[in-house]
Amino acid sequence: MSTDISAKWTSVNAACQPLVDALIDNAEALQLEISTLSNGTRVVDAGINCTGGLEAGRLIGEICMGGLGTATLGTNSGFANWPWSVNVHAKTPVLSCLGSQYAGWSLSHKSEDSKFFALGSGPGRALAAREEIFKEFGYKDEAESTVIVLEVDSFPPVEVAEKVADNCGIKPENLTFILTPTSSLAGVMQIAIRVLEVAMHKAHELHFPLEKIVDGYGSTPVAPPGGDFMTAMGRTNDAILFGGQVHLFVDATDEEAKDLAEKMPSNTSSDYGRPFADIFKSYEYDFFKIDGMLFSPGKVIVTSTKTGKSFTAGELSQELLNLSFGL
């Protein structure tokens, strides 16, 4: 991506700060718990030792998007048995989804009696800019405070907070971790809000020129929380694979738009056709054995802003969604 495009991008950390403040100020109403690590890092628990909730997850999803996206609840998912959905729009899809929301920062710590691992998402990624994708963008944010969202069911050790603060160039007390267990209500909501990000990441994997994606929105059913991690992980993936819909607007030719539409949907993958939990189990719980092309919305529309023509591909599967959700 050319640097003249990234130079126009705003600060994702500045844009999302009002949302972080609102989350903290309304923690009790949102059924969240706030605590502090020994180094001063703030931790927002959205479902480990507290209830969390759908509204908390919605706000966390918008924080993940760097304050440049909106998520609203809807009652028309395209499925008769499960009408609840979330609708997502990003002002600047490439920056919002890939520069902030994508869970691309691997964080881990091992001690004699425990080990911690999580993938970090949110605007803190753009401060550290450790991932290869930021070199492609030529983008690095600047801020004195930041937030990282972790999809975990345990609290991070202080060593992880120290590492993140150091990589981001901020004081530990200016760092906020938001924890969203996959099986919590906040967890299933914030994952559903990734439907547009999943499409943007797929476009990147397909080597489509990201500077040609000028706008986009998506919708997907919000999965019921699973009683355990495996069930929850399967359902949250299936919601997007079988029920996610994304519409991208591209400054490209009809041929480019059609090619992107045809290659993007989840049903183009050799692993498509059964619930994600079953696929994961069949590969002995090794993510890297799963076909990477599977991680996509179920149905895609791509519109060329040059010609106004739209191209549709993929499908929604009531049968597979019912099977996954236990309906």
Side-chain angles (χ1 to χ4, degrees):
M1 176 167 292
S2 57
T3 54
D4 62 324
I5 293 177
S6 65
K8 300 176 183 178
W9 285 348
T10 186
S11 165
V12 289
N13 282 277
C16 84
Q17 191 57 51
L19 295 176
V20 177
D21 292 341
L23 192 77
I24 301 301
D25 292 344
N26 295 285
E28 184 176 354
L30 292 168
Q31 304 180 82
L32 307 173
E33 289 187 358
I34 313 297
S35 60
T36 306
L37 298 180
S38 61
N39 66 346
T41 293
R42 182 168 54 190
V43 178
V44 180
D45 177 2
I48 299 175
N49 297 322
C50 59
T51 302
L54 295 176
E55 177 61 11
R58 189 191 67 79
L59 287 170
I60 293 166
E62 291 188 343
I63 289 170
C64 278
M65 297 177 79
L68 300 177
T70 55
T72 58
L73 301 184
T75 58
N76 184 13
S77 67
F79 296 91
N81 295 341
W82 198 262
W84 309 109
S85 63
V86 64
N87 307 306
V88 183
H89 175 254
K91 297 176 184 177
T92 313
V94 177
L95 174 59
S96 179
C97 295
L98 298 182
S100 185
Q101 189 181 22
Y102 175 60
W105 193 356
S106 179
L107 298 169
S108 62
H109 179 74
K110 183 183 293 185
S111 63
E112 291 183 2
D113 55 354
S114 65
K115 59 181 179 179
F116 178 88
F117 174 79
L119 293 174
S121 61
R125 293 175 52 239
L127 274 190
R130 294 175 59 84
E131 303 156 49
E132 190 65 30
I133 199 165
F134 288 102
K135 295 178 182 178
E136 294 180 36
F137 295 164
Y139 175 79
K140 189 178 188 299
D141 200 7
E142 295 183 3
E144 294 183 357
S145 63
T146 195
V147 58
I148 287 289
V149 176
L150 303 175
E151 189 182 324
V152 291
D153 57 9
S154 63
F155 281 62
V158 68
E159 289 85 357
V160 170
E162 292 286 345
K163 174 185 177 181
V164 170
D166 181 64
N167 288 169
C168 291
I170 64 171
K171 298 177 180 178
E173 58 265 34
N174 291 337
L175 170 65
T176 298
F177 278 139
I178 301 177
L179 315 181
T180 61
T182 310
S183 58
S184 68
L185 284 168
V188 297
M189 175 59 78
Q190 73 88 16
I191 294 173
I193 293 170
R194 296 177 183 273
V195 60
L196 181 58
E197 176 253 294
V198 169
M200 296 298 297
H201 184 256
K202 181 67 172 286
H204 180 254
E205 291 295 299
L206 292 170
H207 305 293
F208 185 84
L210 295 181
E211 68 271 19
K212 293 187 177 183
I213 301 178
V214 297
D215 216 328
Y217 57 85
S219 66
T220 192
V222 180
D228 58 83
F229 170 75
M230 282 300 302
T231 301
M233 183 188 65
R235 287 177 172 178
T236 51
N237 274 281
D238 292 338
I240 295 175
L241 299 179
F242 306 136
Q245 303 180 73
V246 167
H247 192 160
L248 297 180
F249 298 86
V250 298
D251 182 17
T253 64
D254 287 347
E255 290 76 17
E256 290 174 310
K258 181 182 180 188
D259 183 64
L260 179 61
E262 291 178 345
K263 291 179 178 178
M264 181 170 286
S266 55
N267 69 356
T268 61
S269 168
S270 58
D271 279 330
Y272 181 87
R274 49 186 174 147
F276 183 82
D278 292 349
I279 297 171
F280 193 37
K281 182 178 180 180
S282 71
Y283 285 121
E284 300 177 331
Y285 307 104
D286 186 343
F287 268 112
F288 296 101
K289 291 182 180 179
I290 301 172
D291 177 21
M293 294 295 101
L294 177 67
F295 300 99
S296 322
K299 190 174 182 179
V300 177
I301 303 172
V302 180
T303 297
S304 167
T305 59
K306 288 182 179 293
T307 68
K309 291 186 177 181
S310 298
F311 303 90
T312 303
E315 63 184 9
L316 302 181
S317 176
Q318 177 81 66
E319 179 183 359
L320 289 170
L321 197 75
N322 285 349
L323 185 61
S324 175
F325 286 9
L327 301 177

